[in-house]
Amino acid sequence: SQTIQPLLNFNCLPCHSYPGSGGFNLDSYKWVKPTALSGNLTGCLTGDPSLIHMPLNGNLDSCDIKTIVLWVKQGALNN
């Protein structure tokens, strides 16, 4: 809540709040967790060729991406 949520709020919510552009709604943990655990969140951030690279504004640096990837690998906990 102190690290990941602010990153998502700043970089993702301008487009991915209800109803969610591209089918991704990231405005609450209820929606973030399944997106994260499916691999779609990290895939978009790390350049999975089957997904659109995000964020489109390019403001998320590699350190922030690594932080999100680690959070997902740890189970995308709501803490």
Side-chain angles (χ1 to χ4, degrees):
S1 65
Q2 298 297 312
T3 305
I4 303 301
Q5 184 177 358
L7 291 173
L8 296 178
N9 288 351
F10 182 76
N11 293 286
C12 306
L13 285 188
C15 297
H16 294 286
S17 56
Y18 183 81
S21 179
F24 295 110
N25 177 2
L26 301 175
D27 62 6
S28 74
Y29 182 73
K30 173 184 173 180
W31 302 111
V32 170
K33 184 175 182 177
T35 302
L37 296 180
S38 73
N40 288 326
L41 179 63
T42 55
C44 288
L45 298 175
T46 60
D48 181 323
S50 67
L51 299 167
I52 297 172
H53 190 279
M54 292 287 158
L56 291 178
N57 65 14
N59 288 337
L60 202 56
D61 67 32
S62 62
C63 183
D64 291 337
I65 292 170
K66 287 178 185 178
T67 300
I68 293 170
V69 169
L70 178 61
W71 173 72
V72 172
K73 284 182 180 179
Q74 294 173 338
L77 301 176
N78 185 13
N79 53 11

